[in-house]
Amino acid sequence: MTDESTKFDDEVRSASAQKTSRGWLFLVAILAAAALVAAIVVISFDKRTYYFTVAEAAPQLVDLRGQRFRLKGMVEQDSHLIREGTLDQHRFTLTESGAQIVVDYQGPLPDTFTDESDRTEVVAVGTLRDDGIFEAEEVSAKCPSRYEGGAPTAESQ
Amino acid sequence: MHFIGASALSLALGVCIATIVLGILAGRSGVRRYAELARLGVYVQFGLVAIATAALLHSFVNADFAIKYVAGRSDSRMPLHYILSAFYGGQEGSLLLWTFVTAGLGSLAAHVNRDNMPRVMPWYAAVLSATLLGWFCILNFVTPPFETWFIASIPGDGEGLNPLLQTPLMVIHPPCLLSGFASAAVPFSFGIAALAARDTGTSWLKAVRSWTLVCWILLSIGNLLGGMWAYRELGWGGYWAWDAVENAALIPWFIATAFLHSIIIQEQRGMLKRWNVVLVSLLYLLTLVGTWMTRSGFIDSVHTFAESDIGHYFLAFLIFMTSISVCTLILRWKDFGSEREFESPASREAMFLANNWILIGMAAVVLFGTLYPNLAEMVFDLAITFGAPWFERLTIPLGLILLATMALGTILPWRRANLRSFKRHAIPASLATLILAPGIAALWWFTRGHKLGATPSAGGLALSVIAWVLIVLNGAILVQEFAGGIRARRAGTDRGVFSALMLLFRKHRRRYGGFVTHIGVLMIFFAFVGNAFKVEDDITLSVGDSAAIADFTVTFESIETKTESTHVATLAEMTLYRDGERVDSLRPARFDYNNYDRMPPGTAGDPMKVTSEIYIRSTPLEDFYVTMINYSSDRDAAAFKIEVFPFTPWLWMGGFVLILGTIICLWPEEDPVSAEYRRRRMHDLARIGGVVLCLFGLGLVALLPGTAAAQADPFDGMGVQEILAADVPLTSAQSRNAERAFNMVMTTCEGCAGKTLTLASPGCVPANMDKQRIRYFASLGMSTDEILDLFVEERGESAVAIPQKTGLRRVSMILPVVIVILGLFAALFAFRSSLRRTGVEAQPAIAGASSGAADSLAGTVDDELLAELRDEIAMGS
């Protein structure tokens, strides 16, 4: 079909098609957007994780028992222990302005994790046990690095 | 070098401002001379950035630790390719590289299109320069890469590059991703320029499409390499963690993908003009948002760059660019209506539009998930975060709908489908899917899958099954398309299948290249399907013990320690058995870099102490992935994380196919009408290539390490004790010269690093040797400066504590300010003169001007331009 005849067809058709085509387009767009927003809202309630720093979590440890959340703090110097007889059951202390929470974790720690200084920032995701120890499922360490780099994350699930 | 680099950057800032002004003038008045000057301005900016980049590279290669940035990132023992990756390992260098790429690609685009789009190109130059303006301001005033140490604290050696980053992948990944981000400025400039000039003609479409494709492929490669690096080096057993920095690179990729599809609708049907300009602006603005998020410290990411106040500047720049885009869009909204309307939801354009919505939905989801936790904390004081499950729950279903629209978009025709042709296309592919999808899945499950012992969740399994069916359906449709194309090409000829396929690629590069890219995407989705079946286990083994995972058995054979130059390697030797038969040996390791620690404590953070070296056994269908987590101090036991990732190798293969497809798309189309024109263009390209090569050649010459001191070593062949004992007679004036040099030459002794000869400990041998040499040179009657020159020539600028060219250094500090002031004056002057001109010239639009209009311009424009105008009008009529 040549360009001209296409154009002619279009002109003839557009008079009637214009309104309906705009209409369904808008309707579908709005429906799709609404569905997406609804999905985001629903899934956000389902899959969100609370996020506390050690200083925020320490005063409300009793309330947080049994809860799953994400905990951020600095590794206390020389606090990293490995359970005797194992090689991957770790315990270390996270601190922040005087507050402390002990973390248990089984699995690989990220390469950037170290307790040789008190400057390693760690984010742990897990559950607070009844004895007040935070049992982590995932530990990520952020070194105050000046490099561009990927995520040194460690997971164990 | 730092002087050259710093002044090039300052000059670039001035040129940049001038180019913006010239571009706007040329765009408004249509005066050709301004347009050419603006284009020249773009080239000059690129040249200047190239010089600055070469200067910084030179400083890295020559280990010029007098520059803070160099000293903070490299050390003299690193191999060259890591020195190069150290170049963009930090804020300043990466921003410089970003600017370099934007200016380089921008210049290339300006050059290639210099004869097209006379109304768009001046605006293009202006907008491109505006995008560069922000970088030049930051490079000149916020994070100058050429900042030098204060006197006398120059370190003897640099601090080295983080060992995790010392991998070949990290040499390529950051520049790719950065280039992807940087290249988004080019299509954006075209977009805004088209709005300003009210022109979205064929040349514009072609230009904006090609440059978005360039941006897209760079982003794709960058993201793939980043995933590969995380998978192979970090050892947490995955390639994507939905971390803010990764998301920042993924969001523009979604938008670029959407744009590449919707621009085809504009090309074919003249629709979605506004939408496309919005998308291309979004693409660019989101690269800025991503950079701002990750570099400002706003988002808590495990990777972030050194937190700096650079965020405010980014934010300001982002707001500036956003307002430019929004204002231009509003001003030109009415001029960019659709030529046609959608006719039917059962049409290719409808599917492309759906694809756009989904991709934008995905970008919105990722952006929301990355930003919301911080916004929630700021606004509602609600401390929450979204992890991988949140992102996956939302993006996977969207991805599946995307696959469905991909299938429909391929078989549905433009405008509206008729049932017969739809049936003709859909039925064979659907039938093939009905047979192949369950067939292949069952084959895999009964021969391999069930042995893995994976326990996918019901939801995960359902999604995998849907994804698999859609992948097979898409695959079948693509095979059908290729088969149809080949059949058509062979019809009535004696062409073979292969030559018909080649012809298909040659004649319809974009269509079939796009299909190849789709095949790559399908392969990547196939790798995602495997995630549902992954198996993992943490095990601790003593030497000699075995453990079972899936249908494999691993035996921990031995562990050994090797001392290398930078680290101590602890290597485990394991044997992998399947069904009682030995299939492979595995060698995971841990490298201890404790000796590597040469960073002064408290300066910039701890270096990695120990890194895990993952061992991956890759077979076409799965990866067997072993990480050594730890080993006992007496080295008789070790803990391992063992994972089996089905189909993961297909991710990288798919990536390769995707890149191949994009290259096919990008290859210039053959157009017999303009063969001559193209030849000319090729000459031009060759010329630019030549110029670029020369520039690089110049840079490389500059990169050659300085030749050794011309002055022969006076103590050649003498033993250390002889040299130290040698008595060099000096007059009092010569002795003063020598003493002054002692105060300025840095010692090479490691123990007294960072001290001058005078301050070095009295017994320090290297320092005393240098003192003897200085005495000798002084006894020859050399002045202090001449002696220092010798040391600089031999050891680089870091050999001397007090920078010699104090005068020049001061100039380099003042220069940016002077240039900016000059630039502003130039701009003001140009603006005034343009006001005078436009006052007389009534709209001297080149295109469409009548000869009367050309004549009416006589006296106001110069004769050359007038002659050109007349020619053009004559040619037009």
Side-chain angles (χ1 to χ4, degrees):
Chain A
M1 198 177 281
T2 64
D3 251 9
E4 257 168 61
S5 64
T6 315
K7 217 165 201 169
F8 177 73
D9 277 2
D10 283 331
E11 274 162 19
V12 172
R13 202 174 280 123
S14 63
S16 63
Q18 194 155 350
K19 273 192 182 150
T20 47
S21 98
R22 280 256 164 100
W24 68 256
L25 252 177
F26 267 110
L27 196 70
V28 176
I30 287 166
L31 281 179
L36 185 64
V37 170
I40 288 180
V41 169
V42 170
I43 289 164
S44 297
F45 276 108
D46 184 27
K47 292 278 173 191
R48 70 181 174 183
T49 322
Y50 281 94
Y51 191 8
F52 299 108
T53 65
V54 171
E56 286 163 0
Q60 41 173 337
L61 273 189
V62 182
D63 301 330
L64 287 175
R65 264 189 257 164
Q67 298 245 21
R68 192 168 179 282
F69 58 95
R70 188 180 271 241
L71 181 68
K72 184 172 99 173
M74 300 300 224
V75 180
E76 193 180 27
Q77 195 161 2
D78 298 326
S79 71
H80 179 208
L81 304 169
I82 293 176
R83 170 176 280 199
E84 215 157 302
T86 74
L87 289 168
D88 61 347
Q89 294 191 21
H90 308 275
R91 170 170 288 188
F92 52 88
T93 310
L94 291 183
T95 66
E96 192 198 349
S97 42
Q100 291 189 327
I101 290 177
V102 177
V103 179
D104 271 359
Y105 170 67
Q106 178 177 4
L109 284 171
D111 289 342
T112 39
F113 183 96
T114 166
D115 68 343
E116 284 179 22
S117 71
D118 53 1
R119 285 182 287 112
T120 311
E121 190 176 295
V122 160
V123 177
V125 185
T127 318
L128 192 71
R129 289 204 307 249
D130 285 349
D131 59 2
I133 288 178
F134 187 77
E135 189 156 320
E137 299 151 17
E138 186 188 321
V139 173
S140 336
K142 172 164 132 186
C143 63
S145 165
R146 58 195 182 240
Y147 303 107
E148 177 186 4
T153 312
E155 273 183 284
S156 88
Q157 272 158 26
Chain B
M1 269 306 145
H2 55 82
F3 172 72
I4 297 178
S7 17
L9 285 178
S10 331
L11 264 173
L13 177 60
V15 175
C16 177
I17 295 172
T19 311
I20 297 175
V21 174
L22 279 167
I24 295 174
L25 278 182
R28 289 182 70 89
S29 63
V31 177
R32 189 138 178 185
R33 172 170 286 184
Y34 288 163
E36 293 197 335
L37 275 176
R39 200 178 73 234
L40 187 69
V42 174
Y43 299 161
V44 172
Q45 288 175 62
F46 170 56
L48 289 168
V49 183
I51 290 172
T53 312
L56 193 61
L57 265 177
H58 173 270
S59 308
F60 263 98
V61 175
N62 276 345
D64 184 358
F65 298 126
I67 296 177
K68 280 184 184 177
Y69 182 71
V70 177
R73 263 149 212 94
S74 70
D75 72 29
S76 45
R77 294 180 305 175
M78 284 197 316
L80 187 66
H81 57 284
Y82 291 144
I83 291 183
L84 294 184
S85 74
F87 170 84
Y88 43 72
Q91 184 96 272
E92 294 88 340
S94 58
L95 292 184
L96 185 59
L97 183 68
W98 181 314
T99 319
F100 176 75
V101 173
T102 306
L105 294 178
S107 303
L108 192 62
H111 190 84
V112 170
N113 292 295
R114 70 193 188 288
D115 296 332
N116 307 333
M117 304 181 270
R119 282 181 302 156
V120 177
M121 290 319 284
W123 288 108
Y124 165 81
V127 183
L128 185 81
S129 304
T131 68
L132 285 169
L133 181 65
W135 303 126
F136 285 132
C137 286
I138 289 172
L139 285 173
N140 273 295
F141 303 116
V142 190
T143 58
F146 294 97
E147 200 176 2
T148 47
W149 294 96
F150 291 111
I151 290 164
S153 58
I154 298 170
D157 202 347
E159 294 171 14
L161 184 72
N162 185 322
L164 268 181
L165 302 183
Q166 293 196 12
T167 126
L169 284 175
M170 267 295 137
V171 180
I172 333 169
H173 158 67
C176 260
L177 212 48
L178 262 175
S179 307
F181 274 37
S183 56
V186 178
F188 169 76
S189 305
F190 274 119
I192 300 293
L195 283 182
R198 295 189 178 87
D199 177 9
T200 52
T202 326
S203 320
W204 179 83
L205 281 170
K206 204 169 167 182
V208 79
R209 199 191 65 88
S210 319
W211 289 100
T212 312
L213 207 53
V214 169
C215 168
W216 185 84
I217 184 134
L218 289 169
L219 284 175
S220 309
I221 299 175
N223 275 325
L224 278 164
L225 288 176
M228 202 184 243
W229 175 72
Y231 186 66
R232 297 216 171 140
E233 297 294 326
L234 289 182
W236 50 266
Y239 37 79
W240 198 265
W242 297 103
D243 183 77
V245 172
E246 295 166 339
N247 294 348
L250 187 63
I251 298 167
W253 187 88
F254 284 138
I255 305 287
T257 314
F259 177 80
L260 286 175
H261 288 92
S262 69
I263 194 75
I264 302 178
I265 310 185
Q266 181 173 346
E267 230 169 349
Q268 298 285 337
R269 309 275 302 136
M271 294 186 289
L272 298 182
K273 288 179 182 172
R274 297 167 188 158
W275 174 255
N276 281 327
V277 183
V278 170
L279 274 186
V280 84
S281 308
L282 260 183
L283 168 64
Y284 172 73
L285 294 174
L286 283 169
T287 62
L288 287 187
V289 170
T291 320
W292 163 73
M293 272 184 341
T294 47
R295 297 201 191 206
S296 62
F298 177 72
I299 296 293
D300 212 29
S301 150
V302 279
H303 1 8
T304 48
F305 295 75
E307 285 176 19
S308 59
D309 51 355
I310 195 171
H312 308 300
Y313 298 91
F314 266 117
L315 199 58
F317 185 52
L318 177 62
I319 292 170
F320 173 64
M321 292 318 290
T322 313
S323 20
I324 289 187
S325 328
V326 172
C327 290
T328 341
L329 266 170
I330 293 173
L331 280 176
R332 294 287 189 264
W333 191 254
K334 289 229 169 77
D335 299 326
F336 286 85
S338 271
E339 291 164 23
R340 301 197 178 92
E341 289 293 331
F342 276 97
E343 292 179 20
S344 155
S347 65
R348 186 171 292 164
E349 51 264 45
M351 286 306 123
F352 276 31
L353 193 64
N355 138 309
N356 267 239
W357 286 348
I358 295 161
L359 283 164
I360 285 179
M362 287 168 106
V365 164
V366 176
L367 187 67
F368 175 81
T370 317
L371 283 176
Y372 181 72
N374 284 64
L375 292 178
E377 191 163 0
M378 274 163 51
V379 181
F380 312 116
D381 199 23
L382 188 66
I384 56 158
T385 150
F386 298 133
W390 184 90
F391 284 102
E392 279 159 14
R393 182 68 74 82
L394 284 159
T395 48
I396 292 174
L398 285 174
L400 294 182
I401 308 176
L402 195 64
L403 273 183
T405 60
M406 185 165 147
L408 287 171
T410 313
I411 51 172
L412 287 174
W414 295 112
R415 297 161 66 89
R416 65 169 68 236
N418 73 44
L419 199 60
R420 249 187 52 208
S421 89
F422 179 74
K423 275 185 186 159
R424 208 178 60 229
H425 280 96
I427 288 178
S430 312
L431 278 178
T433 311
L434 274 180
I435 300 164
L436 287 176
I440 298 174
L443 190 68
W444 176 76
W445 178 255
F446 289 112
T447 55
R448 185 82 199 98
H450 75 281
K451 293 182 188 164
L452 289 175
T455 48
S457 65
L461 194 62
L463 289 174
S464 306
V465 169
I466 298 173
W468 169 243
V469 171
L470 286 171
I471 290 168
V472 177
L473 178 65
N474 268 295
I477 289 171
L478 288 177
V479 168
Q480 186 178 295
E481 288 292 325
F482 271 106
I486 289 172
R487 221 177 13 248
R489 284 284 157 196
R490 289 184 71 188
T493 65
D494 52 354
R495 253 187 223 109
V497 173
F498 182 74
S499 78
L501 183 68
M502 286 299 113
L503 195 67
L504 219 51
F505 280 132
R506 237 186 13 252
K507 294 284 178 197
H508 309 277
R509 283 211 166 96
R510 292 176 40 195
R511 183 173 166 83
Y512 289 94
F515 286 160
V516 173
T517 308
H518 278 191
I519 294 175
V521 172
L522 293 179
M523 290 165 78
I524 290 173
F525 267 96
F526 179 60
F528 295 162
V529 170
N531 284 346
F533 300 96
K534 81 169 182 180
V535 184
E536 60 181 352
D537 202 2
D538 290 316
I539 50 170
T540 302
L541 291 176
S542 302
V543 172
D545 280 358
S546 298
I549 179 161
D551 60 340
F552 293 102
T553 309
V554 279
T555 308
F556 181 23
E557 305 285 357
S558 63
I559 190 163
E560 61 169 329
T561 306
K562 272 188 190 160
T563 306
E564 308 277 348
S565 65
T566 53
H567 59 268
V568 177
T570 304
L571 304 138
E573 176 82 31
M574 308 172 94
T575 314
L576 184 69
Y577 296 93
R578 190 158 74 193
D579 305 327
E581 270 181 51
R582 183 182 175 286
V583 282
D584 212 344
S585 354
L586 315 168
R587 283 180 217 84
R590 285 176 81 73
F591 288 175
D592 189 334
Y593 285 88
N594 273 313
N595 293 333
Y596 174 89
D597 186 4
R598 304 196 294 126
M599 215 182 296
T603 47
D606 287 319
M608 303 303 116
K609 297 291 185 195
V610 181
T611 64
S612 307
E613 300 297 313
I614 294 129
Y615 191 87
I616 304 173
R617 177 183 181 267
S618 233
T619 53
L621 274 183
E622 60 200 34
D623 275 354
F624 192 88
Y625 189 99
V626 191
T627 318
M628 177 154 60
I629 298 170
N630 204 352
Y631 45 81
S632 60
S633 48
D634 46 6
R635 304 193 179 211
D636 59 350
F640 300 94
K641 186 181 181 76
I642 297 182
E643 286 153 293
V644 181
F645 293 110
F647 314 153
T648 300
W650 285 70
L651 183 62
W652 322 122
M653 293 189 268
F656 181 77
V657 174
L658 179 139
I659 292 161
L660 188 75
T662 319
I663 290 173
I664 297 175
C665 287
L666 268 175
W667 213 259
E669 296 247 4
E670 265 173 63
D671 182 359
V673 184
S674 62
E676 174 57 30
Y677 184 68
R678 215 162 57 85
R679 233 189 322 278
R680 220 177 77 209
R681 168 110 351 134
M682 289 313 285
H683 282 300
D684 288 335
L685 268 177
R687 268 210 300 275
I688 308 179
V691 173
V692 172
L693 273 179
C694 287
L695 267 176
F696 260 86
L698 276 178
L700 279 180
V701 170
L703 283 178
L704 290 175
T707 42
Q711 186 73 34
D713 191 331
F715 302 118
D716 199 21
M718 285 165 80
V720 174
Q721 293 309 320
E722 276 177 87
I723 297 172
L724 290 180
D727 182 37
V728 187
L730 293 174
T731 65
S732 62
Q734 287 170 348
S735 170
R736 262 202 308 280
N737 283 347
E739 289 294 332
R740 239 181 280 157
F742 294 167
N743 272 326
M744 295 189 200
V745 173
M746 304 296 293
T747 170
T748 52
C749 163
E750 298 234 338
C752 321
K755 290 181 178 163
T756 57
L757 296 181
T758 323
L759 296 175
S761 65
C764 175
V765 176
N768 289 336
M769 302 261 286
D770 283 344
K771 282 186 182 174
Q772 283 293 74
R773 291 178 65 196
I774 290 173
R775 286 200 189 97
Y776 175 78
F777 293 138
S779 75
L780 297 178
M782 293 171 82
S783 72
T784 312
D785 279 345
E786 281 168 336
I787 297 175
L788 294 182
D789 278 343
L790 279 179
F791 275 84
V792 170
E793 227 174 297
E794 189 182 307
R795 298 180 190 166
E797 284 189 47
S798 60
V800 181
I802 299 168
Q804 283 168 286
K805 296 152 187 146
T806 26
L808 280 184
R809 191 168 295 222
R810 201 166 298 140
V811 174
S812 85
M813 269 147 52
I814 303 168
L815 205 65
V817 182
V818 175
I819 299 230
V820 169
I821 295 170
L822 282 179
L824 285 176
F825 268 112
L828 213 77
F829 181 75
F831 187 63
R832 258 191 53 198
S833 70
S834 95
L835 277 186
R836 269 208 304 276
R837 271 166 192 250
T838 41
V840 193
E841 278 171 26
Q843 294 295 317
I846 292 170
S850 69
S851 73
D855 290 334
S856 75
L857 294 176
T860 61
V861 287
D862 53 69
D863 295 335
E864 196 187 325
L865 178 67
L866 199 64
E868 272 176 25
L869 270 173
R870 287 212 175 93
D871 281 353
E872 280 185 44
I873 291 159
M875 274 168 70
S877 56

